[in-house]
Amino acid sequence: VLFRSPYQDLLIGQGKAGDILRNLLYEVNQDQEKWESLCEQVEEIFGYRLLPPVYNGRPFIIAEYLPEIPKGKGKNGHPQFDISSAGSGFHQVLLLLSFLYARPAALLLLDEPDAHLHVILQKQINDRLKSICAIQHSQLIIATHSEVLLDSASPDQVMSFYPQPHRLLNSIEKEQVREALKQLTAMDILLAERADGVLYLESESDFNLLQAWAKISGHKVYGW
């Protein structure tokens, strides 16, 4: 399917933008300035050289890359691979970058974009996405548990959903959310929401002492 068809828009609406990655690359390649910028981003992040996608009437688009950056304009004998052979982290970042370049003034809803990415790479990718969004007049709405992404945002850009959805007011609240992400699992938060109260103990020894005390005194909490 050639780029910018109604079917592509349907797939994007269904959250299947990855199914048309080749089309997005082909679309970006039609604008030389955007294509060069995309290639530069990929080279700086992954050390790969994107090759111009090829569409010659067959029912698919050839999209390949070199695993190294050759000197000069040639390939210097480097093997070329189809983009499908690359890792999941590369696919994820390439899809986001391609979409931003191909569809300016877009609103992207990203669910855990930090998945499959190293901590250092998370910040690098996030900074680049924000920079490209500013140029392309696009906007990101990100659902994440990443401390890295939280650190890169100002408090007024963060919406916390515990206990009720609310925008953070200051850096103190942001730090509280950050600490919660480090220490609490989603199940911990879910159980806390459903409980009448939470008892915090320093260690298992404290729990054992309370348990023995409840047993001797016949307290109703012993069964719990």
Side-chain angles (χ1 to χ4, degrees):
V1 182
L2 198 52
F3 67 90
R4 218 51 200 269
S5 71
Y7 181 61
Q8 287 186 47
D9 292 336
L10 173 64
L11 291 175
I12 291 173
Q14 293 176 340
K16 299 178 180 179
D19 291 354
I20 58 165
L21 174 56
R22 296 170 190 271
N23 301 78
L24 292 174
L25 290 171
Y26 190 91
E27 188 173 342
V28 176
N29 185 244
Q30 306 310 299
D31 186 315
Q32 191 61 30
E33 183 178 350
K34 290 183 178 180
W35 176 254
E36 290 178 357
S37 181
L38 173 61
C39 290
E40 181 180 339
Q41 300 284 352
V42 171
E43 290 182 9
E44 290 180 357
I45 298 172
F46 296 100
Y48 295 166
R49 167 68 57 84
L50 284 179
L51 299 178
V54 178
Y55 175 73
N56 54 11
R58 289 181 288 184
F60 57 87
I61 296 171
I62 299 174
E64 298 177 321
Y65 71 97
L66 303 180
E68 297 181 46
I69 303 174
K71 297 179 180 179
K73 296 183 179 180
K75 300 177 183 178
N76 294 141
H78 294 306
Q80 53 195 73
F81 299 105
D82 190 88
I83 57 171
S84 63
S85 66
S88 57
F90 174 73
H91 283 155
Q92 182 171 308
V93 174
L94 182 60
L95 174 59
L96 292 175
L97 293 175
S98 301
F99 188 90
L100 285 174
Y101 280 112
R103 305 294 171 89
L107 173 64
L108 275 71
L109 309 179
L110 306 181
D111 183 22
E112 304 287 354
D114 46 284
H116 311 297
L117 298 179
H118 187 275
V119 172
I120 296 177
L121 194 57
Q122 288 180 26
K123 184 180 187 311
Q124 186 180 8
I125 299 302
N126 185 58
D127 291 344
R128 290 176 184 271
L129 289 178
K130 291 196 295 185
S131 176
I132 296 172
C133 278
I135 297 173
Q136 296 293 96
H137 305 291
S138 296
Q139 185 177 8
L140 300 175
I141 297 180
I142 303 174
T144 181
H145 293 89
S146 170
E147 296 175 52
V148 175
L149 298 188
L150 179 63
D151 286 341
S152 66
S154 60
D156 63 312
Q157 293 178 318
V158 181
M159 180 73 74
S160 173
F161 286 82
Y162 181 81
Q164 298 295 333
H166 65 284
R167 192 183 301 273
L168 301 188
L169 298 177
N170 50 52
S171 57
I172 295 177
E173 288 192 351
K174 176 180 170 180
E175 186 61 25
Q176 290 173 341
V177 171
R178 188 177 185 278
E179 286 300 312
L181 290 175
K182 289 170 56 177
Q183 301 184 36
L184 300 176
T185 67
M187 183 57 68
D188 291 333
I189 295 175
L190 180 62
L191 292 174
E193 285 183 326
R194 295 181 176 181
D196 295 329
V198 179
L199 175 63
Y200 289 95
L201 300 173
E202 185 175 349
S203 65
E204 185 179 359
S205 297
D206 288 348
F207 177 79
N208 292 334
L209 286 171
L210 287 175
Q211 185 182 49
W213 188 16
K215 181 179 181 181
I216 293 173
S217 63
H219 198 283
K220 61 181 180 181
V221 78
Y222 175 70
W224 172 80

